[in-house]
């Protein structure tokens, strides 16, 4: 796909009407397009926005994009951030514009979204065995010489299924093979991946026996290392790089212009950078591909307490970019209050939301003495201590944990500057 077409499709997102489909937007803006609403630069608090409403900080979002571009460049890493975190094509484009090699995804639907909006390099961190999806990928590869697609393989059976589907889909002259990387599991009891180097070799042999697949490297996900700590994570990463070196020594990458070695979630990318820096010289240049995705919004819980930047502070610091604004709708006792956001609005798979600020009459102050203890479908339960000052009608700003399950609850997210000015609307596709 050419750049002009991709830009047109991104711009078309702004032509959608506010209407009734999107949570939190001003009722009097229903006839406006999203671009028109952003152009009005309304204030989040006085411009008619309703609660609950999830927002992204414009300044913090930009800071995180800049920081990871600098970090990956400094460490000689290519970067394919995991797009399933946000599934927001506007953010995909900003990540690409900040130096990302491509986008990592998890399932075929996400690939179709990325392709529609012009993403030319996709790393699928999964084994793809669905025949219909493989036919679509084969057709895209045949139609677009600039399209690069790489996915996992972790079993001989999976390779056989992929080969059968692609053989049926490919023209008689063979067409372009589909690039694959052997996935090394993070250990016994971890998630996907071949468990041993011997199993990885058997999968690689199966790939070599096909004409539809091409082995281009190895990959895995260190976040699944059992009882992960710095020593265990680094030990597994050295298994991964050692596997790549053994494959290269055995001639499994002969004829490649580039060898892919990939890892990297959002909790241990410092270890990835350190171990990938130790890679020996291979028979072809190595694409050291980092896949951390949660950085773009960061969070106030899960990753904020585990970010590699807390271990290596001289590298910088990511900033939580989310805030969920809610409103106090009930204050039944001195020890209890309720706001109008719940499971449908806030991530809760790892940590409950964090009460941060109370806003009343245009003035914000810390949410002292306020904590979230439980979520119902449309309410958050608040415990309030004697020093808490909250009343019905107050706006309560909450921090959220685990961005992967925040984005999927909101089809549209206003982007807000520090003074409350809404400057953009980010569309998601889950």
């Amino acid at each position: 796909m050419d750049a002009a077409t991709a830009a047109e499709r991104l711009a078309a997102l702004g032509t959608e009407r506010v209407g009734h489909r999107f949570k939190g937007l001003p009722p009097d803006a229903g006839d406006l397009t999203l671009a028109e609403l952003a152009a009005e630069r309304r204030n989040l608090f006085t411009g008619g926005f309703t609660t609950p409403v999830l927002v992204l900080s414009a300044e913090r979002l930009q800071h995180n994009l800049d920081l990871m571009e600098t970090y990956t460049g400094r460490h000689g890493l290519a970067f394919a951030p995991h797009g399933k975190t946000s599934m927001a094509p506007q953010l995909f484009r900003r990540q690409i514009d900040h130096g990302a090699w491509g986008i990592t995804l998890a399932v075929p639907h996400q690939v179709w979204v990325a392709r529609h909006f012009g993403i030319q390099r996709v790393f699928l961190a999964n084994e793809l065995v669905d025949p219909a999806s493989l036919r679509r990928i084969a057709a895209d590869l045949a139609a677009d010489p600039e399209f690069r697609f790489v996915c996992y393989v972790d079993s001989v059976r999976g390779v056989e299924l992929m080969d059968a589907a692609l053989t049926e889909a490919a023209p008689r002259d063979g067409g372009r093979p589909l690039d694959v990387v052997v996935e090394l599991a993070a250990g016994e009891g971890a998630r996907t991946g071949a468990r041993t180097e011997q199993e990885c070799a058997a999968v690689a042999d199966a790939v070599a026996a096909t004409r539809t697949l091409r082995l281009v490297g190895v990959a895995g996900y260190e976040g699944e290392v059992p009882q992960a700590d710095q020593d265990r994570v680094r030990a597994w990463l050295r298994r991964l790089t050692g596997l790549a070196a053994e494959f290269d020594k055995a001639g499994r990458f002969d004829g490649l212009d580039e060898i892919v070695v990939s890892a990297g979630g959002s909790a241990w990318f410092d270890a990835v950078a350190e171990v990938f820096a130790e890679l020996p010289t291979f028979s072809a240049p190595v694409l050291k591909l980092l896949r951390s995705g949660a950085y773009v919004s960061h969070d106030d819980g899960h990753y904020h307490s585990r970010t590699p930047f807390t271990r290596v502070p001289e590298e910088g610091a990511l900033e939580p970019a989310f805030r969920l604004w809610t409103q106090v709708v009930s204050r039944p006792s001195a020890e209890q209050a309720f706001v109008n956001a719940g499971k449908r609005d806030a991530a809760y798979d790892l940590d409950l939301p964090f009460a941060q600020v109370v806003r009343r009459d245009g003035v914000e102050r810390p949410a002292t003495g306020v904590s979230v203890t439980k979520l119902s479908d449309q309410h958050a339960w608040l415990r309030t201590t004697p020093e808490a000052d909250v009343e019905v009608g107050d706006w309560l700003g909450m921090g959220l944990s685990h961005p992967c399950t925040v984005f999927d609850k909101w089809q549209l997210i206003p982007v807000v500057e520090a003074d409350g000015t809404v400057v953009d609307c980010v569309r998601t596709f889950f």
Side-chain angles (χ1 to χ4, degrees), residues 42 68 81 88 163 232 301 331 346 351:
R42 296 193 187 196
M68 284 301 285
D163 182 46
R232 289 187 177 93
R331 187 78 160 100
D351 298 299

Side-chain angles (χ1 to χ4, degrees), residues 63 67 71 74 307-318:
H63 168 84
L67 182 63
Y71 179 86
R74 182 163 57 242
T307 174
F309 293 130
T310 63
R311 295 189 290 270
V312 193
E314 61 270 22
E315 296 275 18
L318 293 169

Side-chain angles (χ1 to χ4, degrees), residues 72 234 339 374:
T72 53
R234 282 167 173 77
V339 294
K374 179 180 175 181

